[in-house]
Amino acid sequence: MGGFGTAKSEEKQAAKPKSQADRFAELREELEHLKTIKPVSHVFCGLIGYENAAKTGIVVDALMSNQEAIDNGDMLWVLDFDGGASATRTGHYKNAENIRIWDPVVMQPNAVTAFDYPATHDRVLSIAQFALEHAKNQSRKGYEGPKIWGFLVTAVDVFDDICVANMKITDLGTAKDGIEAANPTKLVGNQWNWTLRSTRFHQLTYICKEMVKYGVNVFYETHLKEARDDKGNIIAGVEGPPVWEKTTPNHLNQIIRCRREEVLDDDGKLVATEFTAKVEKCKTNSTLQGYTETVLRTTAKDRKAEWKGFSPLRKMEL
């Protein structure tokens, strides 16, 4: 027979709100749901290389050589910071409707600087959020319309410059416009202030990572710096590091290095130009680590070009 203490304990249990009965109830429900989640894509790929190295080309080709995707009206959306995707679309694909080119830049009329940096940053994030909404819709059961196959950001280094300018103009107030922001005497101050730039840059990154969860293949394309020694002299024949926020590779599941190399004869005359792609990082398929392939070869004498594309992208083996 229970005493006074037992009765009081039972009374307290009865009075306890239901929400406190199991404070992990929602997490338990989520845990059960997690086993049903099967991501369609894990492709968040960086493409690095100097200008005119077929970086954009191999991504566009991966979609345009996929007949099933083309027949379904699937699309590659491009935030085209350097105009490379627009040139590729016009020059090689007759302005195909499957390639949707977004101009991310907002111009500033009647001003000293061409870019409206705050508005450009806002527009970039708005386009990315629009793409994410579309990705969520197309992942729903019963959806049968055109899908976003891929989301490509060309010249991520330009976006990084925009983030730096916004940090100085909007966040720190150390510059009134883009020209002042580019002035090296306009200091950032405390080194921790650079986290403002990083946060701005990776706002786009985190939206892109969400797109990947919903089956969109995402690509960050950027250029390389010139390699320099300790005295600042350019080192010939050596590639410099990619230009993006320094922690960007940590967010990427794959990295492909694109190169353009000239083939010379014994007299030093140009025979051909070869464009290659090399997988330098692949979390999702270890057999591709270090894999290299010629994607384009042009010959000087007869001015012929043989385009092959990059098979790991064409087959989506990444």
Side-chain angles (χ1 to χ4, degrees):
M1 179 176 178
F4 178 76
T6 302
K8 294 298 288 185
S9 177
E10 291 175 351
E11 183 180 326
K12 287 182 179 180
Q13 287 293 329
K16 182 185 290 187
K18 187 176 181 180
S19 60
Q20 293 182 13
D22 181 1
R23 63 193 183 99
F24 297 119
E26 291 184 2
L27 291 178
R28 293 183 200 284
E29 184 179 345
E30 183 177 348
L31 177 62
E32 283 300 303
H33 176 65
L34 290 178
K35 65 185 180 184
T36 68
I37 297 177
K38 299 177 181 179
V40 180
S41 173
H42 285 289
V43 176
F44 192 0
C45 180
L47 300 125
I48 61 176
Y50 288 114
E51 175 64 19
N52 188 28
K55 299 185 296 298
T56 299
I58 62 174
V59 175
V60 176
D61 170 79
L63 169 65
M64 299 305 290
S65 62
N66 184 335
Q67 194 57 52
E68 182 180 352
I70 297 304
D71 291 343
N72 191 55
D74 293 352
M75 302 166 286
L76 171 65
W77 286 21
V78 188
L79 278 173
D80 198 17
F81 279 100
D82 65 359
S86 179
T88 299
R89 177 178 185 256
T90 301
H92 302 288
Y93 295 99
K94 299 179 180 179
N95 293 317
E97 293 183 359
N98 303 79
I99 309 168
R100 303 293 177 92
I101 310 294
W102 293 91
D103 183 355
V105 175
V106 177
M107 305 304 287
Q108 189 163 238
N110 305 318
V112 176
T113 56
F115 280 20
D116 184 330
Y117 288 91
T120 295
H121 189 269
D122 289 346
R123 175 171 166 78
V124 167
L125 296 186
S126 291
I127 293 170
Q129 288 166 341
F130 179 32
L132 176 57
E133 180 184 9
H134 195 295
K136 290 179 178 179
N137 289 335
Q138 72 189 32
S139 70
R140 292 191 173 98
K141 187 176 180 178
Y143 180 87
E144 297 181 351
K147 297 181 179 180
I148 301 178
W149 171 89
F151 188 84
L152 167 64
V153 185
T154 68
V156 169
D157 43 317
V158 175
F159 178 60
D160 190 35
D161 288 341
I162 289 169
C163 292
V164 172
N166 271 302
M167 172 185 64
K168 294 180 179 180
I169 297 169
T170 305
D171 302 323
L172 300 178
T174 57
K176 70 175 184 293
D177 54 33
I179 292 177
E180 280 198 1
N183 188 334
T185 65
K186 296 294 181 180
L187 302 178
V188 175
N190 189 307
Q191 63 175 339
W192 299 111
N193 287 337
W194 282 99
T195 59
L196 296 168
R197 169 276 203 122
S198 299
T199 299
R200 282 186 172 274
F201 184 92
H202 287 304
Q203 283 178 307
L204 176 60
T205 300
Y206 283 109
I207 296 174
C208 288
K209 292 175 82 168
E210 284 296 305
M211 284 188 226
V212 173
K213 292 179 182 178
Y214 291 97
V216 177
N217 305 302
V218 178
F219 304 90
Y220 267 13
E221 174 206 301
T222 196
H223 301 96
L224 304 178
K225 292 181 180 178
E226 294 176 324
R228 296 180 180 272
D229 59 24
D230 294 339
K231 297 181 179 179
N233 300 312
I234 296 176
I235 305 174
V238 178
E239 294 180 341
V243 187
W244 47 26
E245 199 280 328
K246 63 183 180 181
T247 65
T248 302
N250 299 339
H251 296 275
L252 303 174
N253 293 326
Q254 304 87 11
I255 296 178
I256 299 172
R257 182 180 295 270
C258 298
R259 289 190 173 99
R260 182 186 74 251
E261 299 177 311
E262 294 182 342
V263 180
L264 308 177
D265 63 15
D266 294 339
D267 297 323
K269 294 182 179 179
L270 179 66
V271 175
T273 303
E274 289 191 346
F275 296 74
T276 61
K278 177 182 179 181
V279 179
E280 293 201 342
K281 176 182 179 180
C282 191
K283 287 184 175 182
T284 46
N285 187 348
S286 59
T287 65
L288 288 174
Q289 194 72 39
Y291 178 77
T292 305
E293 196 172 86
T294 297
V295 301
L296 170 65
R297 179 182 171 88
T298 63
T299 52
K301 187 176 181 179
D302 54 10
R303 299 178 62 189
K304 290 185 177 180
E306 181 184 7
W307 175 264
K308 299 179 179 179
F310 192 46
S311 61
L313 276 180
R314 279 189 167 190
K315 299 175 184 178
M316 293 312 293
E317 296 174 332
L318 295 177

